[in-house]
Amino acid sequence: STQWEIVEKAADLITPAHKELIRQAAQGEVIHNDDTVMKILNLASTLALEDSKGRQGIYSSGIVSIAEGRRIAVFFTGNQHAGENLEDLLKQRQEDLPLPIQMCDALSHNTKGEFETIVANCIAHARRKFVDIKVAFPDETLHVLEVFKEVYHNDAFARENNLTAEERLNFHQEKSEPAMAGLAVWMAKKIDERLVEPNSVLGEAIRYVQKHWSKLTLFLREAGAPLDNNICERALKKAILHRKNALFYRTQNGARVGDLFMSLIHTVELCEEDPFEYFNALQKNHQVMAKKPGAWMPWNFREALAAVEGDEESFESEVNSLRSYMPYLPT
């Protein structure tokens, strides 16, 4: 209970930074989303009665937004799915911005909501379906995995050479598109000529890729479209680890505080900064931060902190100067 009182008080002080983080995440060019199950004791007991849909599930949704090259992670815990939380996030998006690219797996929960995005599906999920059956179908799965390996190799080359989004798109169109086109022909032949039983695990894996082909290959048509949702899967490990350690939240307010700290901590880590230093800076300067929270984000807080420390030094210097001829000046 003592820990909770300390954490809740700190959360109240740094809430403006959290709200600003969510607002900036809404402006991203690429937005990843997914969710995992969670438990809120007080909510679970009444949710089925209060929810007009009779929904009983509780989830922690993870959203990782790529905005101006920065990675911003935000979490939302409650009875809404990842798509519904993304809808709420995008309500803060500037109207003049182009549609963002949304990366997620093919579950309908991730796109559920009243919003518009350019949807891309995760190649890692498609690849996993073949990895799981490689013992039963070694030759067929090897062929598919080699194609995906080539695509990832090309993407790694683009990243290592700092290609722009347009340059990366052109590179994939030149190097990866022929391999993916060959894979499409290979899969169609296996199904159309009945070389694979459609209801077998191999047939199901092939039909999954065929069904979502357009979204799986968005990286061949849209500049900046990612290959997979791995960055969001890694972010969700924060929520999963918390669930394993704490088992549950007691109230929705507790979940709100947990989401606030997870969002800021993971974003700080994505910016390769020190969470301890960041939270110290926010709490010590919470009054200044509340007036202009955009200057106290995980990627720019050091500049704001230096400015505050410079003002304090300047003020102290002026006071010392006054004391030189006003020795009775109050401290």
Side-chain angles (χ1 to χ4, degrees):
S1 60
T2 301
Q3 283 184 329
W4 165 249
E5 290 173 0
I6 295 172
V7 169
E8 185 181 31
K9 182 179 179 181
D12 292 338
L13 295 179
I14 63 180
T15 291
H18 181 231
K19 290 182 177 179
E20 176 63 17
L21 190 77
I22 293 174
R23 189 195 68 80
Q24 295 212 24
Q27 319 310 318
E29 300 91 26
V30 180
I31 301 178
H32 301 248
N33 72 320
D34 201 357
D35 55 26
T36 185
V37 295
M38 186 53 77
K39 185 178 290 185
I40 304 175
L41 294 185
N42 288 7
L43 184 61
S45 61
T46 59
L47 189 56
L49 298 176
E50 296 178 355
D51 194 339
S52 60
K53 303 174 185 177
R55 183 181 296 174
Q56 297 183 6
I58 300 172
Y59 311 90
S60 277
S61 297
I63 297 175
V64 179
S65 175
I66 314 298
E68 298 181 352
R70 305 185 187 100
R71 296 176 293 176
I72 304 172
V74 290
F75 296 86
F76 303 94
T77 300
N79 67 316
Q80 293 194 144
H81 294 297
E84 293 165 323
N85 286 317
L86 180 58
E87 176 186 357
D88 292 341
L89 179 86
L90 291 176
K91 288 176 181 177
Q92 300 189 50
R93 187 177 180 84
Q94 297 176 13
E95 294 182 357
D96 58 339
L97 291 177
L99 292 179
I101 296 171
Q102 178 190 357
M103 167 52 73
C104 58
D105 59 43
L107 290 175
S108 60
H109 290 171
N110 293 324
T111 54
K112 186 175 184 179
E114 299 291 331
F115 60 89
E116 287 187 79
T117 57
I118 303 171
V119 181
N121 280 164
C122 177
I123 287 182
H125 277 77
R127 180 184 179 278
R128 196 174 304 149
K129 292 184 178 297
F130 292 92
V131 171
D132 291 342
I133 60 174
K134 64 181 181 180
V135 175
F137 300 93
D139 295 335
E140 293 86 349
T141 55
L142 179 62
H143 177 76
V144 177
L145 295 178
E146 285 295 326
V147 173
F148 289 151
K149 178 181 178 181
E150 182 177 349
V151 171
Y152 272 93
H153 175 78
N154 293 336
D155 203 60
F157 178 87
R159 184 169 57 253
E160 291 166 1
N161 287 272
N162 298 316
L163 300 187
T164 65
E166 288 293 340
E167 290 171 340
R168 172 180 174 270
L169 173 62
N170 294 333
F171 183 73
H172 271 303
Q173 289 175 339
E174 178 185 353
K175 300 294 185 180
S176 301
E177 191 165 15
M180 293 297 286
L183 179 61
V185 172
W186 180 87
M187 291 189 300
K189 181 178 180 180
K190 291 291 184 182
I191 296 297
D192 296 343
E193 298 182 9
R194 307 288 292 185
L195 301 176
V196 172
E197 170 57 46
N199 293 326
S200 67
V201 289
L202 177 58
E204 290 176 356
I206 291 175
R207 286 190 291 122
Y208 174 88
V209 175
Q210 289 180 317
K211 180 180 179 180
H212 304 290
W213 183 259
S214 177
K215 295 174 182 177
L216 288 168
T217 58
L218 186 69
F219 70 97
L220 297 174
R221 300 185 302 278
E222 288 285 339
L227 299 184
D228 55 48
N229 202 29
N230 289 351
I231 188 174
C232 189
E233 300 272 352
R234 290 193 295 269
L236 277 176
K237 288 183 179 180
K238 287 283 184 187
I240 295 170
L241 182 61
H242 179 66
R243 184 181 68 212
K244 288 181 178 179
N245 290 333
L247 302 182
F248 52 80
Y249 292 111
R250 184 184 176 191
T251 66
Q252 185 70 64
N253 183 49
R256 176 191 66 84
V257 172
D259 291 339
L260 180 151
F261 278 99
M262 280 197 296
S263 299
L264 289 170
I265 288 172
H266 194 51
T267 302
V268 172
E269 292 173 341
L270 290 174
C271 294
E272 299 182 350
E273 282 288 356
D274 184 347
F276 184 77
E277 291 186 32
Y278 181 64
F279 282 108
N280 272 342
L282 290 187
Q283 292 178 81
K284 289 179 179 179
N285 303 281
H286 64 92
Q287 293 178 327
V288 178
M289 179 271 294
K291 296 177 182 178
K292 195 176 180 181
W296 292 85
M297 292 292 95
W299 53 85
N300 63 2
F301 79 98
R302 292 193 182 277
E303 290 84 351
L305 186 60
V308 169
E309 291 174 347
D311 290 342
E312 291 176 351
E313 290 177 3
S314 176
F315 177 75
E316 186 176 348
S317 176
E318 290 181 17
V319 170
N320 290 334
S321 177
L322 287 172
R323 281 204 181 97
S324 65
Y325 56 88
M326 295 178 63
Y328 300 106
L329 186 70
T331 58

